[in-house]
Amino acid sequence: MEMTGMSLKRGYVVVKDNDCVGPAEEIKKQKVSECCVPKDGDGLDSDCLPSSETEPKSPEVFSDGKDKKNSSAQLEEEEDGFSEEGEEEEAESFAEMMKHGLTELDVGITKFVSSHQGFSGILKERYSDFIVHEIGKDGQISHLDDLSVPVDEEDPSEDVFSVLTTEEKQQLEELQLFKNKETSVAIEVIEDTKEKRTIIHQAIKSLFPGLETKTEDRAGRKYIVAYHAAGKKALANPRKHSWPKSRGSYCHFVLYKENKDTMDAINVLSKYLRVKPNIFSYMGTKDKRAITVQEIAVLKISAQRLAHLNKCLMNFKLGNFSYQKNPLKLGELQGNHFTVILRNITGTDDQVQQAMNSLKQIGFINYYGMQRFGTTAVPTYQVGRAILQNSWTEVMDLILKPRSGAEKGYLVKCREEWAKTKDPAAALKKLPVKRCVEGQLLRGLSKYGMKNIVSAFGIIPRNNRLMYIHSYQSYVWNNMVSKRIEDYGLKPVPGDLVLKGATATYIEEEDVNNYSIHDVVMPLPGFDVIYPKHKISEAYREMLTTDNLDIDNMRHKIRDYSLSGAYRKIIIRPQNVSWGVVAYDDPKIPLFNTDVDNLEGKPPPVFASEGKYRALKMDFSLPPSTYATMAIREVLKMDTSIKNQTQLNTTWLR
């Protein structure tokens, strides 16, 4: 089920001048359910969930269970009640559907480290209440604070962006993308000067990678003719000879985006630049329902062209341009810095002080957050367990069978058709969006047949397939960490594991005092890890045995699904922690300035000493693959699951 908040700026592709005309219709049709890629941070997970498995976003109403008076009037938005395909959504309310969802208890999240009393608050009442700044490999927090373009004599004149008409751009785009049978497009040069011809040549070559140009005389008139340089491969590989040898092949820039995940943003940029998305690189993907700032690199696209997109697109801003020799690589980041607003808090100043001091000094349990496990009645870890068990019929059934929970109408119809006919082609016809995981599996079953589910499942992108087994590992890890803390508390004990470099070693009796709980790690199950030398080791074995898995043989006959395992710290202490409580009257006013606000010279908000509501503003930095929601859970002492939140607040928004 997909809903859009009323305050969202629909049609974020805004054409402000002729030179910004882009493939808006194509972009509008872009599906949020397209295959996803690994995420870092919070929502910012190291593996995100595909299509219908992803967590719907809502204002997350956090409560200690004592105060349930978060009225729907406090919320910024109301649900639309329509789907992208124009179908009416089921009348059943989201809160009703989420009765079938997961709670923290279901995925092993049961313990807290602090002793303070919890209180209520609303997270992400506005997406602008959650801001993520990437921390780069140099340890610097990424900010958008410079929109200037590096001066480069090799760049063409600014006229290249306006010399072509909308109709000419349309014809050239169709030629570039092989959308018609034409082999060339001829553009008449009205004011025939060498300068004018040069600008048209430059415009076509720079705006439409893969096209070459030549000048022709036809009946006494000059035409510039565009044609394909090197077939369909040219689109993915920008022409080498058009890039100055003196500058690095990659333009690095800071991308500021609102309410869009990283892949959505890159798809929009690539459509506007008329290039393939795979020429972009980044260190990690960021949450959708947030304002995020991160570094991106793109192959052989000039800063001049990138900066021009600032005139065309809303909810995006590009800046801090530089040319570098190398692209960015996933995982190179050092973490993320979060600025989080929890609105309408009920805690006293004393409670807030205790909670934040505990977060700063002790930290929080490094659980995998709820978004790791999906939101419907079929958690992703169940699919992962079936893959590890080699139970392929169960894998197919878990992904395709009808399920309770929040889903789009067409997915519900697809599942019903599958249950009735077991005909993959018939079920596939019910899906307007074929790139969701269900569509990909059905396409695989149509191609390979029902007796070759392994190959059919293999059509799903590798990251999404591995997400299921990583979800199972996370499920085991959460449960084992809860048991470790229950049995041994918040101090290291003999038999615990710590890392020396990348190698795990045991804490011996005589060394216990040399370590703190912040040094202790626990393994995600796999064939290349060791387990603690105390009773938690047996708990791992019992849990996997119950799931019909052999802890001593985590290799799978399909190599992709062999789990090597990994180590994860059990307690994370955030860095750069600061906080403040502010009073406000209007739930819709922003409570701090963004990078774009600062660039535009907006004064910071001024707060009254008293107001109708109170908000907690928190700042903290986390390493990659840790969850900000788990830090917030520790502060508020509440269940972060959507199921719990929707029981506390009946209005649900994305």
Side-chain angles (χ1 to χ4, degrees), residues 150-182:
V151 176
D152 195 326
E153 292 176 6
E154 301 273 3
D155 282 333
S157 154
E158 278 287 319
D159 292 340
V160 299
F161 297 109
S162 55
V163 70
L164 299 171
T165 67
T166 303
E167 186 180 355
E168 287 165 349
K169 285 184 177 180
Q170 182 71 29
Q171 291 173 336
L172 289 163
E173 184 177 350
E174 288 175 358
L175 175 68
Q176 181 207 28
L177 299 176
F178 298 92
K179 285 188 175 178
N180 56 29
K181 295 178 181 177
E182 302 296 326

Coordinates of all heavy atoms in Angstrom, one line a residue, residues 150-182:
P150 N 33.4 25.2 -11.0 CA 34.8 25.4 -11.3 C 35.1 26.0 -12.7 O 34.4 25.6 -13.6 CB 35.4 24.0 -11.2 CG 34.4 23.2 -10.5 CD 33.1 23.8 -10.7
V151 N 35.9 27.1 -12.7 CA 36.1 27.7 -14.0 C 37.0 26.8 -14.9 O 38.0 26.3 -14.4 CB 36.9 29.1 -13.8 CG1 37.2 29.7 -15.1 CG2 36.0 30.0 -12.9
D152 N 36.5 26.6 -16.1 CA 37.2 25.6 -17.0 C 37.0 26.2 -18.4 O 35.9 26.2 -18.9 CB 36.6 24.2 -16.9 CG 37.5 23.2 -17.5 OD1 38.1 23.5 -18.5 OD2 37.5 22.1 -17.0
E153 N 38.1 26.5 -19.0 CA 38.1 27.1 -20.4 C 37.6 26.1 -21.4 O 37.2 26.4 -22.5 CB 39.5 27.6 -20.8 CG 40.0 28.8 -20.0 CD 41.4 29.2 -20.3 OE1 42.0 28.6 -21.3 OE2 41.9 30.1 -19.7
E154 N 37.7 24.8 -21.0 CA 37.2 23.7 -21.9 C 35.7 23.6 -22.0 O 35.1 23.0 -22.9 CB 37.7 22.4 -21.5 CG 39.2 22.3 -21.4 CD 39.9 21.9 -22.7 OE1 39.1 21.7 -23.7 OE2 41.1 21.7 -22.7
D155 N 35.0 24.2 -21.0 CA 33.5 24.1 -21.0 C 32.9 25.0 -22.2 O 33.4 26.1 -22.5 CB 32.9 24.6 -19.7 CG 33.1 23.6 -18.6 OD1 33.1 22.4 -19.0 OD2 33.1 24.0 -17.4
P156 N 31.9 24.5 -22.8 CA 31.2 25.2 -23.9 C 30.5 26.5 -23.3 O 30.3 26.6 -22.1 CB 30.3 24.3 -24.5 CG 29.9 23.3 -23.4 CD 31.2 23.2 -22.6
S157 N 30.1 27.3 -24.2 CA 29.3 28.5 -23.8 C 28.0 28.1 -23.1 O 27.4 27.0 -23.4 CB 29.0 29.4 -25.0 OG 27.9 30.1 -24.8
E158 N 27.5 28.9 -22.2 CA 26.2 28.7 -21.6 C 25.1 28.6 -22.6 O 24.0 28.1 -22.4 CB 25.8 29.8 -20.6 CG 26.5 29.6 -19.2 CD 25.8 28.5 -18.4 OE1 24.6 28.4 -18.4 OE2 26.5 27.8 -17.7
D159 N 25.3 29.2 -23.8 CA 24.3 29.2 -24.9 C 23.9 27.8 -25.3 O 22.8 27.6 -25.9 CB 24.8 29.9 -26.1 CG 24.9 31.4 -25.8 OD1 24.3 31.9 -24.8 OD2 25.7 32.1 -26.6
V160 N 24.7 26.8 -25.0 CA 24.4 25.4 -25.4 C 23.1 24.9 -24.8 O 22.4 24.0 -25.3 CB 25.5 24.4 -25.1 CG1 26.8 24.7 -25.8 CG2 25.7 24.2 -23.6
F161 N 22.7 25.5 -23.6 CA 21.5 25.1 -22.9 C 20.2 25.7 -23.5 O 19.1 25.3 -23.2 CB 21.6 25.4 -21.4 CG 22.7 24.6 -20.8 CD1 23.9 25.3 -20.3 CD2 22.7 23.3 -20.6 CE1 24.9 24.6 -19.7 CE2 23.7 22.6 -20.0 CZ 24.9 23.2 -19.6
S162 N 20.4 26.7 -24.4 CA 19.2 27.4 -24.9 C 19.1 27.4 -26.4 O 18.1 27.9 -26.9 CB 19.1 28.8 -24.3 OG 20.3 29.5 -24.6
V163 N 20.1 27.0 -27.1 CA 20.2 27.1 -28.5 C 19.2 26.2 -29.3 O 18.7 26.5 -30.4 CB 21.6 26.9 -29.1 CG1 22.0 25.5 -29.0 CG2 21.7 27.4 -30.5
L164 N 18.9 25.0 -28.6 CA 18.0 24.1 -29.3 C 16.5 24.3 -28.8 O 16.3 24.6 -27.6 CB 18.4 22.7 -28.9 CG 19.8 22.2 -29.4 CD1 20.1 20.9 -28.8 CD2 19.8 22.2 -30.9
T165 N 15.6 24.2 -29.7 CA 14.2 24.3 -29.3 C 13.7 23.1 -28.6 O 14.3 22.0 -28.7 CB 13.3 24.6 -30.6 OG1 13.3 23.4 -31.4 CG2 13.8 25.7 -31.4
T166 N 12.5 23.2 -28.0 CA 11.9 22.0 -27.3 C 11.7 20.9 -28.3 O 12.0 19.7 -28.0 CB 10.6 22.4 -26.6 OG1 10.9 23.5 -25.7 CG2 10.0 21.2 -25.9
E167 N 11.2 21.2 -29.5 CA 10.9 20.2 -30.5 C 12.2 19.5 -31.0 O 12.2 18.3 -31.1 CB 10.2 20.9 -31.7 CG 9.7 19.9 -32.7 CD 9.0 20.5 -33.9 OE1 8.8 21.8 -33.9 OE2 8.7 19.8 -34.9
E168 N 13.3 20.3 -31.2 CA 14.5 19.8 -31.6 C 15.1 18.8 -30.5 O 15.6 17.7 -30.8 CB 15.5 20.9 -31.9 CG 15.2 21.6 -33.2 CD 16.0 22.9 -33.4 OE1 16.6 23.4 -32.4 OE2 15.9 23.5 -34.5
K169 N 15.0 19.2 -29.3 CA 15.4 18.4 -28.2 C 14.7 17.0 -28.2 O 15.2 16.0 -27.9 CB 15.3 19.1 -26.8 CG 16.3 20.2 -26.6 CD 16.2 20.7 -25.2 CE 17.3 21.8 -24.9 NZ 17.1 22.3 -23.6
Q170 N 13.3 17.1 -28.4 CA 12.5 15.9 -28.4 C 13.0 15.0 -29.5 O 13.1 13.8 -29.3 CB 11.0 16.3 -28.6 CG 10.1 15.2 -28.6 CD 9.9 14.6 -27.3 OE1 10.0 15.2 -26.2 NE2 9.6 13.3 -27.2
Q171 N 13.2 15.5 -30.7 CA 13.7 14.7 -31.9 C 15.0 14.1 -31.6 O 15.3 12.9 -31.9 CB 13.8 15.6 -33.1 CG 12.4 16.1 -33.7 CD 12.6 17.0 -34.8 OE1 13.6 17.7 -34.9 NE2 11.6 17.1 -35.6
L172 N 15.9 14.9 -31.0 CA 17.3 14.3 -30.7 C 17.2 13.3 -29.6 O 18.0 12.3 -29.7 CB 18.2 15.5 -30.3 CG 18.6 16.5 -31.4 CD1 19.1 17.8 -30.8 CD2 19.6 15.8 -32.3
E173 N 16.4 13.4 -28.6 CA 16.2 12.4 -27.6 C 15.7 11.1 -28.2 O 16.2 10.0 -27.9 CB 15.3 12.9 -26.5 CG 15.3 11.9 -25.3 CD 14.4 12.4 -24.1 OE1 14.0 13.6 -24.1 OE2 14.2 11.6 -23.3
E174 N 14.7 11.2 -29.0 CA 14.2 10.0 -29.7 C 15.2 9.3 -30.5 O 15.3 8.1 -30.6 CB 12.9 10.4 -30.5 CG 11.7 10.7 -29.6 CD 10.5 11.2 -30.4 OE1 10.6 11.2 -31.7 OE2 9.5 11.5 -29.8
L175 N 16.0 10.1 -31.2 CA 17.1 9.5 -32.0 C 18.1 8.9 -31.1 O 18.6 7.7 -31.3 CB 17.8 10.7 -32.8 CG 19.1 10.2 -33.6 CD1 18.7 9.3 -34.8 CD2 19.8 11.5 -34.2
Q176 N 18.5 9.6 -30.1 CA 19.5 9.1 -29.1 C 19.1 7.7 -28.5 O 19.9 6.8 -28.4 CB 19.8 10.1 -28.0 CG 20.9 9.6 -27.0 CD 20.7 10.3 -25.7 OE1 19.6 10.6 -25.3 NE2 21.8 10.5 -24.9
L177 N 17.8 7.6 -28.1 CA 17.3 6.5 -27.4 C 16.7 5.4 -28.4 O 16.0 4.5 -28.0 CB 16.3 6.9 -26.4 CG 16.8 7.8 -25.3 CD1 15.6 8.2 -24.4 CD2 17.9 7.2 -24.5
F178 N 17.0 5.6 -29.7 CA 16.5 4.6 -30.7 C 15.0 4.4 -30.6 O 14.5 3.3 -30.8 CB 17.2 3.3 -30.5 CG 18.7 3.3 -30.7 CD1 19.5 3.5 -29.6 CD2 19.3 3.2 -32.0 CE1 20.9 3.6 -29.7 CE2 20.6 3.2 -32.1 CZ 21.5 3.4 -31.0
K179 N 14.3 5.5 -30.4 CA 12.8 5.4 -30.3 C 12.1 5.6 -31.6 O 10.8 5.5 -31.6 CB 12.3 6.5 -29.3 CG 12.6 6.2 -27.8 CD 11.9 7.1 -26.9 CE 12.1 6.7 -25.5 NZ 11.5 7.7 -24.5
N180 N 12.8 5.9 -32.7 CA 12.1 5.9 -34.0 C 13.0 5.3 -35.0 O 14.1 4.9 -34.7 CB 11.7 7.3 -34.4 CG 12.9 8.3 -34.4 OD1 14.0 7.8 -34.6 ND2 12.6 9.5 -34.1
K181 N 12.5 5.2 -36.3 CA 13.3 4.6 -37.3 C 14.3 5.5 -38.0 O 15.1 5.1 -38.9 CB 12.4 4.0 -38.3 CG 11.5 2.8 -37.8 CD 10.5 2.3 -38.8 CE 9.7 1.2 -38.1 NZ 8.7 0.7 -39.1
E182 N 14.3 6.8 -37.6 CA 15.2 7.7 -38.2 C 16.6 7.4 -37.9 O 16.9 7.0 -36.8 CB 14.9 9.1 -37.8 CG 13.4 9.6 -38.0 CD 13.1 9.7 -39.5 OE1 14.0 10.0 -40.3 OE2 12.0 9.4 -39.9

